[in-house]
Amino acid sequence: MKDIIKIIKEIFSSRRVVLRIAKYNNDQAYRNNYLGDFWHFADPALQIGVMLFMFAMRMGDNYKNPHAHGIQGYVAWIALGMITYFFMQSSMTKSANSIKRQLNLLAKMNFALSAIPLTEIITELRRYFVMLGMVMFLILFTDVKPTIWWFQFIYYFIAMIIFLYALSLVTSTITVLVPDFYNAYVAILRVGMWLSGVIIPIDGPAFPIVISNILKINPLYYIIEGFRETLLENPQGFWEKPSDIIVFWGIVIILLIVGSHIHIRFRNRFIDFV
């Protein structure tokens, strides 16, 4: 617990620098392109368009998805799941390699190493919000109407950010200590979309109950399904599923404890491993 408190203090004291670095990363992303920030909109729009064409048009039958009604419902369902997963996948990939990639530069600065993974997560938020805005616009063309339950989105968003950072503390440290870990981690994330209920509902008829219950332990599924229930389906309060809350936050707390401990223990020796 002492390690977690120390990490939280470091993040709080570095918050302004984290935001500046994230802004700098976004500004540099398309600096040499004539259209500049336009690609922050064009690139996500192209991704969503291709995804919907490849999956929604072929898999939009009602009987395959008990959560979506008709092709419009399925388009919104799959688009919301995909942008959430792509944001988490990109954040997890970049944050895992963040300390190793920037250590030589940031080691010379008065900047907490524990805040480096967070800069990558925040950097990805601009793209995520652009894609989320597109999907929200798409949802308005379905039968779904905005309700007060949409404010529950805030809970799942905060849960997503905390989970991503807790995981990044573990993965960014292990990536420095064990170089082969990063390649294996990226390979797992490539198939994670199929195990997180993004394309096919894991509580549908395609999955046996035992396998479905195991896959539901995945924190990514908890977040993706939470967004879908909040914005698309008949919503229910997140507090109405206490077992899911216990499992998700239990995993997050374990990641925070382990990640904080190994990060603080080894960070003074990071430069030796790199």
Side-chain angles (χ1 to χ4, degrees), residues 2-258:
K2 183 191 301 183
D3 293 336
I4 295 179
I5 295 175
K6 185 175 183 179
I7 292 292
I8 293 174
K9 289 181 178 179
E10 290 178 353
I11 294 296
F12 182 78
S13 62
S14 304
R15 64 191 184 282
R16 292 186 178 88
V17 180
V18 169
L19 294 176
R20 285 201 296 267
I21 292 177
K23 183 179 184 302
Y24 173 81
N25 290 341
N26 274 311
D27 292 341
Q28 291 297 307
Y30 300 107
R31 182 182 179 184
N32 295 324
N33 297 89
Y34 289 113
L35 299 180
D37 280 351
F38 168 77
W39 292 109
H40 280 290
F41 297 86
D43 187 26
L46 179 62
Q47 290 186 53
I48 292 177
V50 171
M51 290 185 298
L52 296 183
F53 179 78
M54 294 296 295
F55 294 105
M57 302 306 173
R58 294 293 305 274
M59 303 174 67
D61 305 272
N62 288 339
Y63 73 90
K64 291 183 179 179
N65 190 341
H67 302 286
H69 302 286
I71 189 65
Q72 286 182 316
Y74 187 80
V75 166
W77 185 88
I78 194 173
L80 182 58
M82 281 186 168
I83 65 164
T84 304
Y85 180 80
F86 283 166
F87 164 70
M88 290 193 287
Q89 180 191 43
S90 182
S91 297
M92 289 187 288
T93 301
K94 293 180 179 179
S95 62
N97 198 40
S98 59
I99 292 180
K100 183 177 182 180
R101 181 168 54 85
Q102 304 181 56
L103 182 61
N104 290 328
L105 174 63
L106 294 177
K108 304 174 184 178
M109 302 170 56
N110 186 20
F111 184 68
L113 293 179
S114 59
I116 296 178
L118 185 60
T119 63
E120 299 292 347
I121 298 172
I122 294 178
T123 298
E124 291 298 306
L125 280 176
R126 177 190 284 189
R127 181 186 297 264
Y128 172 68
F129 285 140
V130 171
M131 298 179 74
L132 179 64
M134 295 177 180
V135 173
M136 295 294 286
F137 182 76
L138 179 65
I139 290 175
L140 294 178
F141 286 93
T142 66
D143 294 332
V144 177
K145 303 298 180 183
T147 69
I148 194 172
W149 287 101
W150 280 27
F151 285 104
Q152 193 168 251
F153 177 91
I154 298 173
Y155 162 77
Y156 286 107
F157 178 79
I158 294 174
M160 176 174 65
I161 299 300
I162 295 175
F163 163 72
L164 289 174
Y165 179 70
L167 179 63
S168 72
L169 268 182
V170 177
T171 56
S172 61
T173 302
I174 297 178
T175 297
V176 176
L177 304 179
V178 185
D180 289 340
F181 168 80
Y182 182 73
N183 293 329
Y185 182 60
V186 172
I188 292 174
L189 290 180
R190 289 196 187 104
V191 301
M193 183 169 63
W194 303 96
L195 302 177
S196 304
V198 177
I199 306 297
I200 302 174
I202 63 177
D203 57 350
F207 288 89
I209 295 179
V210 175
I211 296 178
S212 175
N213 290 335
I214 293 175
L215 293 178
K216 286 180 180 179
I217 299 176
N218 183 355
L220 276 67
Y221 171 81
Y222 176 79
I223 295 168
I224 292 171
E225 195 62 22
F227 283 145
R228 284 170 168 166
E229 289 180 353
T230 298
L231 299 178
L232 296 177
E233 303 175 33
N234 295 323
Q236 63 181 81
F238 63 87
W239 58 87
E240 296 181 41
K241 298 181 289 185
S243 59
D244 293 348
I245 294 177
I246 292 173
V247 171
F248 174 79
W249 287 107
I251 293 174
V252 171
I253 291 173
I254 291 173
L255 289 172
L256 279 174
I257 293 173
V258 174

